[in-house]
Amino acid sequence: MKFTKTFEMQKDKAERIPAFFATQGYKLEKSSPNSYRFKRGSGWAAPFTLDVRKCPTTVDVNLLETTEDKFQILVNYDVSGKGMQIFTAGDREKITAEMEGLEMFTKVR
């Protein structure tokens, strides 16, 4: 299951991105000045869990400079590993809520 979200944020809020993902249980896999990759979940647990947030998930975040003080943020989620199970509307809502949470977290003063 793949998701993409794009939004704009102030450059001085960019350091909040790793903090947000840490609160969601992700580990920072790699970073560069304009991108991050986070991972969460386990392939072993995926077939037995009812919570999509325990499935293997990779999130790539790219920061594109739009103006002198703003970035356009492109977030790509790749959730996998539920085996033969079908992702439900509830699963989609959990990931969508997480994506919206990132946008709100980076806009808080």
Side-chain angles (χ1 to χ4, degrees), residues 5-8 98-107:
K5 179 159 185 74
T6 304
F7 62 94
E8 199 170 74
E98 190 171 285
M99 294 168 66
E100 291 170 0
L102 171 62
E103 184 175 5
M104 290 184 339
F105 189 74
T106 59
K107 293 191 185 233

Side-chain angles (χ1 to χ4, degrees), residues 39-84:
K39 289 206 170 202
R40 170 179 76 185
S42 165
W44 291 100
F48 308 105
T49 186
L50 297 176
D51 188 345
V52 70
R53 294 168 294 192
K54 296 194 187 304
C55 291
T57 303
T58 301
V59 181
D60 290 307
V61 180
N62 293 297
L63 293 76
L64 308 168
E65 191 171 345
T66 56
T67 66
E68 189 174 303
D69 63 336
K70 290 188 180 181
F71 282 127
Q72 179 179 3
I73 309 300
L74 175 62
V75 185
N76 290 302
Y77 276 74
D78 186 4
V79 183
S80 61
K82 284 189 84 169
M84 298 303 290

